Amino acid sequence: EVQLVESGGGLVQPGRSLRLSCATTGFTFDKYAMNWVRQAPGKGLEWVSGISWNSEKKDYVDSVKGRFTISRDNARNSVYLQMNSLRIEDTAMYYCTKDIIPLGFYYFDHWGQGVLVTVSS
Amino acid sequence: EVVLTQSPGTLSLSPGGRVTLSCRASQSIISNYLAWYQQKPGQAPRLLIYGASSRATGVPPRFSGSGSVRDFTLTISTLEPEDFAVYYCQQYGYTPLTFGGGTKVEIK
């Protein structure tokens, strides 16, 4: 059974940093790209970032470019999202998602349960 | 950025009815790279459809997807009680990947 378990969320002040982690089991991690998708309270879904199987390809939505960094550790079957210079508008549930291909960013056949990030003073 | 517009915003229906949800793209979606997800309150989204019309593993046949180029549709042939949820379309032809704003299917 595929499992994605996020951690690292919480309450943080504007301008501060937070690092999200996603531990995975149940599939061959280094054969798939991984992504982060967020959902602000009561709002829709927004793709944040993706990383290819070998970390050579990374992409971000414009609103987080230069502030967020995605990475992965294939030995630990984990993907991370380093979030710096956090803004109030980054407040959301952050979902770790498994892509269906290794090299690009397509669609997501498995999702974690999400981790809540609240940016507030 | 490809903008996906879903309509209607909310549908109020009774179980047993037929549901048609719309997703329109601001530009042509290459290779029909469009997916649909279902999200219930307090849960993560679940993949229903990919490639505009292919059902994901375990998705009941009452769910079907159709469309091409800029206009796509998700149809639920006979609405079951567990189908009341929010439905999102997502395009993966271009980055940034984008989602529609969602359609809520609620019990009438």
Side-chain angles (χ1 to χ4, degrees):
Chain A
E1 179 192 5
V2 173
Q3 288 195 320
L4 310 174
V5 180
E6 304 95 336
S7 61
L11 174 64
V12 62
Q13 293 179 325
R16 304 298 291 262
S17 299
L18 212 54
R19 187 193 194 213
L20 305 183
S21 300
C22 172
T24 75
T25 57
F27 66 101
T28 306
F29 182 73
D30 61 5
K31 290 192 181 300
Y32 297 95
M34 297 293 293
N35 300 264
W36 289 94
V37 173
R38 68 183 177 183
Q39 186 170 35
K43 303 297 184 182
L45 301 168
E46 180 182 42
W47 176 79
V48 174
S49 181
I51 185 168
S52 63
W53 72 278
N54 58 2
S55 302
E56 287 189 358
K57 183 177 179 181
K58 303 176 185 179
D59 206 350
Y60 303 88
V61 68
D62 280 352
S63 60
V64 308
K65 280 181 181 175
R67 300 188 299 121
F68 289 12
T69 301
I70 192 170
S71 62
R72 64 189 292 160
D73 183 340
N74 287 347
R76 295 178 184 271
N77 295 334
S78 295
V79 62
Y80 309 97
L81 188 67
Q82 178 66 43
M83 305 186 294
N84 298 333
S85 303
L86 281 160
R87 304 169 180 169
I88 290 175
E89 55 265 34
D90 295 319
T91 294
M93 183 73 77
Y94 284 73
Y95 294 101
C96 172
T97 69
K98 171 186 169 291
D99 214 295
I100 57 92
I101 61 169
L103 269 178
F105 310 122
Y106 273 32
Y107 59 90
F108 320 120
D109 60 352
H110 289 90
W111 297 61
Q113 280 306 298
V115 62
L116 185 61
V117 172
T118 304
V119 185
S120 174
S121 54
Chain B
E1 171 177 317
V2 177
V3 177
L4 299 178
T5 301
Q6 291 188 242
S7 60
T10 303
L11 269 175
S12 298
L13 297 164
S14 301
R18 180 181 179 89
V19 183
T20 301
L21 309 182
S22 173
C23 175
R24 168 163 281 193
S26 59
Q27 64 188 74
S28 298
I29 304 298
I30 60 169
S31 302
N32 291 339
Y33 280 174
L34 189 107
W36 289 91
Y37 301 86
Q38 175 194 66
Q39 186 178 33
K40 298 180 181 179
Q43 296 185 15
R46 168 198 177 197
L47 176 67
L48 295 176
I49 301 287
Y50 62 92
S53 60
S54 296
R55 270 189 303 276
T57 303
V59 175
R62 64 180 181 273
F63 291 92
S64 63
S66 63
S68 61
V69 188
R70 293 178 57 203
D71 290 297
F72 300 87
T73 299
L74 175 70
T75 300
I76 309 173
S77 58
T78 306
L79 199 57
E80 298 287 343
E82 61 267 29
D83 299 336
F84 290 95
V86 180
Y87 293 85
Y88 294 95
C89 57
Q90 178 233 324
Q91 66 81 22
Y92 50 100
Y94 311 90
T95 55
L97 308 182
T98 52
F99 291 87
T103 292
K104 182 178 182 180
V105 177
E106 63 178 23
I107 299 175
K108 187 174 183 179

